[in-house]
């Protein structure tokens, strides 16, 4: 029906539209959490709150970089990230996007604060497992980057625990340190339609702003990573590596990799580790002509990306091997040169044009402004039995902002996806418990949120793996 070029163009447009739709629905879910407290404490009118949160999310995405997004994308097997078959790349992207959109939209429709991060990670793991079932894959489930998966899961698991615990601690601290007058203003339930005291209102607007900003820096990057996955798969000549950088800039980091790997004592290594060192040496040699001359053909960009990702993933596996003995300084230098997102070798592969960042920012911002109400009602009315107080709202949002901010790069060399939904809703739960005990929680809502948390991963994995196999069959 379509010529080859027309067919690829249509599929590319569909993939980009699906990525924007995912981020749009992400705005329904996660950013709605940010505005719930200012709305239910009468600090801002709903329209003011969602527009302001949308704008601040936009700013957060633009200033956030791509490290968090790439930490998720790198869960995929390297072979999928460098597959030169355009239709294979499209099948991968459509599978993970459609499965994430289906689950996100379904949980939003029923007003459940499910995690977009959790959903996307499940979808990516599903694609990896679907790939493991293909006859062409000889590595089986080992093709999935399980080490990176452990890091991501740790971040997702800790965010609700941190949110719940720190909210209780913060509420306890406020009760003990504030004067009686200030404590009464913060801890008394707001009267319907009554504005909070001026300083309280400013505090709650600031906390809403912080959650929205750091949400953009964390969750917005995931959408950027997805779009780059699409562009690299379909148009590798233009997007496989960052063409704005001089390729000669790779030389110092490649020298570090060569030096540190060359220093490893090979006498006690297994055959697997020796093969890994050989793989790194071969990849280093393949890059040498381009590094020496500073020139390469555009068609060779995907091969350069393949070599860089191979060095990065193989170096990580070497460092994780018990048989490889390295000093702390050597291990740190090798890690920074080869494996850390957005620095060293990875600054050539982990990149995004400004128009991609702008597109995702707008999608997230508009999603916030349109689909906020269902999740806001759940967070504001259905987690606790009592009306949300100023102290509870501020404590939950401060904890959520801190959790997301720390995972978005405020800690050097640490960027991980965390769940805004889980950090904030668990913060609300912790604040409710701190006020009137565990009986202050609405059991049905808490059970529903917990059920969504438990089901998200297996549902996303199964759905994504099934769609991946289907799209690979349809697209060849």
């Amino acid at each position: 029906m379509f010529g080859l070029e027309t067919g690829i163009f249509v599929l590319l447009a569909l993939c980009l539209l699906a990525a924007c739709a995912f981020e749009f629905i992400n705005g329904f879910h996660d950013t709605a959490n940010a505005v719930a407290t200012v709305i239910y404490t009468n600090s801002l009118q709903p329209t003011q709150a969602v527009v302001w949160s949308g704008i601040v999310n936009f700013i957060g995405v633009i200033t956030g970089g791509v490290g968090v997004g790439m930490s998720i994308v790198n869960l995929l097997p390297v072979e999928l990230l460098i597959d030169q078959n355009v239709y294979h790349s499209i099948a991968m992207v459509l599978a993970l996007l459609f499965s994430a959109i289906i689950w996100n939209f379904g949980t939003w429709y029923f007003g459940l604060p499910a995690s977009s991060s959790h959903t996307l990670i499940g979808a990516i793991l599903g694609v990896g497992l679907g790939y493991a079932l293909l006859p062409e894959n000889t590595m089986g489930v080992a093709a999935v980057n399980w080490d990176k998966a452990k890091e991501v899961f740790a971040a997702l698991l800790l965010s609700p625990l941190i949110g719940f615990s720190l909210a209780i601690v913060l509420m306890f601290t406020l009760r003990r340190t504030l004067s009686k007058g200030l404590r009464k203003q913060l801890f008394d339930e707001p009267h319907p339609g009554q504005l909070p005291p001026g300083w309280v209102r400013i505090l709650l607007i600031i906390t809403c702003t912080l959650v929205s900003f750091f949400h953009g820096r964390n969750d917005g990057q995931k959408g950027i990573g997805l779009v780059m996955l699409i562009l690299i798969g379909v148009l590798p000549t233009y997007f496989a590596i960052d063409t704005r950088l001089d390729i000669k800039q790779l030389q110092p980091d490649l020298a570090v990799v060569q030096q540190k790997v060359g220093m490893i004592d090979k006498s006690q290594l297994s055959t697997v580790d020796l093969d890994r060192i050989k793989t790194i040496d071969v990849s280093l040699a393949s890059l040498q002509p381009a590094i020496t001359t500073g020139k390469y053909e555009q068609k060779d960009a995907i091969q350069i990306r393949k070599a860089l990702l191979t060095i990065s993933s193989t170096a990580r596996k070497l460092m994780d091997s018990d048989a490889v003995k390295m000093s702390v300084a050597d291990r740190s230098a090798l890690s920074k040169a080869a494996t850390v997102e957005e620095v060293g070798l990875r600054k050539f592969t982990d990149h995004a044009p400004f128009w991609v960042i702008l597109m995702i920012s707008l999608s997230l911002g508009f999603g916030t402004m349109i689909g906020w109400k269902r999740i806001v009602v759940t967070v504001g009315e259905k987690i606790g039995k009592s009306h949300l107080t100023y102290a509870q709202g501020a404590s939950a949002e401060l904890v959520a902002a801190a959790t997301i901010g720390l995972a978005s790069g405020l800690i050097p060399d640490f960027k991980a996806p965390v769940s805004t939904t889980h950090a904030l809703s668990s913060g609300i739960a912790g604040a409710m418990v701190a006020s009137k005990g565990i009986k202050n929680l609405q059991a049905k809502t808490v059970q529903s949120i917990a059920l969504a948390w438990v089901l998200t991963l297996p549902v996303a994995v199964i759905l994504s793996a099934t769609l991946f196999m289907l799209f690979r069959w349809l697209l060849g």
Side-chain angles (χ1 to χ4, degrees):
M1 182 181 297
F2 296 104
L4 179 62
E5 296 300 324
T6 303
I8 291 176
F9 175 78
V10 171
L11 288 170
L12 173 61
L14 178 62
C15 289
L16 291 175
L17 182 64
C20 290
F22 169 79
E23 209 59 40
F24 186 77
I25 296 173
N26 189 358
F28 287 12
H29 261 286
D30 287 359
T31 317
N33 287 281
V35 299
T37 55
V38 289
I39 291 173
Y40 273 91
T41 56
N42 303 315
S43 298
L44 287 175
Q45 293 298 313
T47 302
Q48 295 173 327
V50 296
V51 170
W52 175 244
S53 182
I55 292 171
V56 176
N57 262 280
F58 177 88
I59 296 170
V61 178
I62 287 178
T63 60
V66 297
V68 173
M70 291 302 172
S71 72
I72 290 186
V73 169
N74 290 324
L75 289 171
L76 288 165
V78 172
E79 292 77 12
L80 278 176
L81 295 175
I82 55 178
D83 194 331
Q84 296 186 56
N85 186 313
V86 171
Y87 291 107
H88 289 176
S89 298
I90 290 173
M92 170 186 66
V93 171
L94 286 177
L96 65 90
L97 281 173
F98 279 15
S99 56
I101 288 170
I102 290 169
W103 182 251
N104 267 0
F105 185 82
T107 50
W108 165 81
Y109 182 81
F110 290 104
L112 292 177
S115 168
S116 299
S117 304
H118 207 167
T119 306
L120 181 59
I121 289 164
I124 287 178
L125 288 177
V127 167
L129 292 176
Y131 175 72
L133 298 175
L134 295 176
E136 66 201 58
N137 174 36
T138 59
M139 297 178 63
V141 295
V144 180
N145 189 344
W146 293 112
D147 291 328
K148 176 60 71 174
K150 291 176 185 176
E151 293 178 16
V152 170
F153 282 136
L156 283 175
L157 180 62
L158 286 174
S159 58
L161 296 177
I162 291 173
F164 184 83
S165 303
L166 288 187
I168 293 177
V169 171
L170 188 53
M171 288 282 288
F172 178 80
T173 303
L174 289 173
R175 282 187 182 277
R176 288 301 182 95
T177 57
L178 292 179
S179 66
K180 185 176 181 181
L182 292 179
R183 191 164 62 245
K184 179 175 176 59
Q185 289 181 340
L186 269 181
F187 284 85
D188 284 357
E189 290 188 12
H191 297 289
Q194 180 179 321
L195 290 177
W199 71 274
V200 175
R201 190 181 184 194
I202 292 172
L203 172 64
L204 289 165
I205 292 173
I206 289 173
T207 58
C208 167
T209 301
L210 289 173
V211 173
S212 300
F213 177 74
F214 286 122
H215 172 263
R217 285 178 66 91
N218 197 280
D219 274 53
Q221 291 186 43
K222 298 159 194 170
I224 293 170
L226 288 174
V227 173
M228 291 310 300
L229 196 61
I230 296 165
L231 294 175
I232 292 167
V234 179
L235 298 169
T237 300
Y238 302 98
F239 296 103
I241 58 175
D242 191 346
T243 55
R244 298 167 296 182
L245 300 177
D246 183 353
I247 197 167
K248 285 187 175 182
Q249 294 178 29
L250 282 169
Q251 182 61 53
D253 294 305
L254 290 174
V256 170
V257 173
Q258 189 171 30
Q259 179 193 30
K260 301 307 178 185
V261 171
M263 292 170 58
I264 295 174
D265 181 6
K266 302 177 180 61
S267 61
Q268 304 297 320
L269 297 186
S270 65
T271 303
V272 172
D273 286 332
L274 290 173
D275 286 342
R276 287 169 177 164
I277 292 176
K278 184 177 179 180
T279 298
I280 290 176
D281 290 339
V282 170
S283 297
L284 288 169
S286 71
L287 290 168
Q288 202 56 49
I291 302 301
T292 302
T293 63
K295 298 177 181 179
Y296 60 93
E297 298 290 333
Q298 273 196 322
K299 62 182 177 62
D300 296 329
I302 189 66
Q303 295 302 328
I304 294 173
R305 179 180 179 82
K306 178 179 180 179
L308 293 174
L309 289 180
T310 300
I311 292 171
S312 180
S313 63
T314 308
R316 185 182 294 276
K317 291 174 183 176
L318 270 179
M319 288 189 291
D320 289 338
S321 172
D322 294 333
V324 175
K325 307 301 181 185
M326 300 178 70
S327 69
V328 174
D330 287 341
R331 187 178 294 272
S332 176
L334 179 57
S335 177
K336 187 173 183 179
T339 68
V340 178
E341 281 86 7
E342 293 187 282
V343 300
L345 305 183
R346 297 299 295 272
K347 64 177 175 283
F348 277 80
T349 59
D350 299 356
H351 70 102
F354 181 74
W355 67 265
V356 171
I357 298 173
L358 184 63
M359 181 174 69
I360 293 300
S361 301
L362 291 171
S363 300
L364 184 60
F366 285 133
T368 302
M369 296 177 193
I370 292 172
W372 58 274
K373 192 168 186 178
R374 290 177 185 270
I375 303 300
V376 165
V377 170
T378 298
V379 173
E381 297 180 4
K382 297 182 179 180
I383 293 179
K385 292 180 180 179
S386 57
H387 193 289
L388 195 68
T389 66
Y390 305 135
Q392 290 167 341
S395 297
E397 289 202 325
L398 279 172
V399 167
T403 304
I404 304 162
L406 292 173
S408 301
L410 292 183
I411 299 177
D413 297 333
F414 177 75
K415 293 188 177 183
V418 295
S419 169
T420 304
T421 298
H422 293 153
L424 189 61
S425 58
S426 62
I428 295 286
M432 290 289 177
V433 170
S435 294
K436 298 180 180 179
I438 195 72
K439 293 182 179 179
N440 196 31
L441 295 178
Q442 294 196 40
K444 186 176 180 180
T445 301
V446 174
Q447 289 169 3
S448 297
I449 293 174
L451 182 63
W453 192 91
V454 170
L455 290 179
T456 291
L457 190 65
V459 170
V461 167
I462 294 170
L463 190 56
S464 180
T466 304
L467 288 175
F468 177 71
M469 300 290 285
L470 175 63
F471 288 140
R472 280 288 290 251
W473 176 70
L474 290 174
L475 297 174

